């Protein structure tokens, strides 16, 4: 009822299994899980599990807004957050070899979220943990694709097409995958 009478209970987008069972599992001690994902609604004795979550939850209260229209709302979303700056500092210090300071900044977001402080092991593990922490902290705030491109983890070299009912893969040029040419432009140019 707090969403208004125009809100819908469905959404076109849901957290994937990798995120909801790996990076921020339902039984995790990470306090952000209750804001990023919703397995149910209500509190205390009034809590009810959603009947249709299966292995993946719905987007959580972080995305709920009074008087929603469908699954859209009129919020002005923050485009830059303090925790984003803190994690950028962790990334920068890691890339310049100051792992102790990188861990210090990484742990600022981890401990605030109720997670144990990260202990440095190796540079690749620290880089991976910074990526994962950015995914947990900035969940669904539209920066994940850019992060994966920056970290060199975005899958850019493959595209799929259907031929005679069979799905075939083919290599694509990297710049086309990162900055695709609109199909209307491709159709207008026979070359």
């Amino acid at each position: 009822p707090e969403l208004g009478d125009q809100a819908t209970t469905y959404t076109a987008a849901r957290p994937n299994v990798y995120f909801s069972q790996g990076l921020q599992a339902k039984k995790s001690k990470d306090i952000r899980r209750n804001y990023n994902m919703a397995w149910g609604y209500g509190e205390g004795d009034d809590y009810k599990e959603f009947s249709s979550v299966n292995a993946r939850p719905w987007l959580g209260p972080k995305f709920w807004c009074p008087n929603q229209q469908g699954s859209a709302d009129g919020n002005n979303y923050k485009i830059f957050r303090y925790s984003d700056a803190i994690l950028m500092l962790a990334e920068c210090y890691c890339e310049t070899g100051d792992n102790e300071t990188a861990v210090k900044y990484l742990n600022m977001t981890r401990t605030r979220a109720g997670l144990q402080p990260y202990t440095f092991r190796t540079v690749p593990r620290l880089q991976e943990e910074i990526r994962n922490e950015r995914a947990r902290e900035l969940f669904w705030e539209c920066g994940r694709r850019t992060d994966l491109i920056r970290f060199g983890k975005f899958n850019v070299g493959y595209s799929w097409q259907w031929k005679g009912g069979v799905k075939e893969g083919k290599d694509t040029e990297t710049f086309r995958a990162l900055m695709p040419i609109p199909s209307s432009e491709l159709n207008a140019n026979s070359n």
Side-chain angles (χ1 to χ4, degrees), residues 42-123:
E43 294 182 29
D45 292 338
D46 294 331
Y47 182 79
K48 292 181 177 65
E49 289 266 335
F50 290 128
S51 60
S52 61
V53 289
N54 296 326
R56 297 182 314 153
W58 298 99
L59 294 175
K62 175 179 179 179
F63 307 98
W64 299 352
C65 178
N67 300 315
Q68 282 187 220
Q69 297 293 313
S71 60
D73 62 58
N75 279 345
N76 289 323
Y77 288 99
K78 299 169 186 74
I79 58 169
F80 193 79
R81 294 201 298 127
Y82 180 66
S83 56
D84 192 6
I86 294 296
L87 290 168
M88 284 184 203
L89 281 169
E91 182 183 340
C92 290
Y93 280 113
C94 180
E95 294 302 314
T96 58
D98 188 348
N99 300 320
E100 184 178 328
T101 307
V103 169
K104 172 187 142 189
Y105 283 109
L106 172 62
N107 283 334
M108 288 173 73
T109 59
R110 287 181 59 82
T111 55
R112 182 197 47 79
L115 298 175
Q116 292 294 317
Y118 178 81
T119 302
F120 179 78
R121 292 171 189 87
T122 65
V123 171

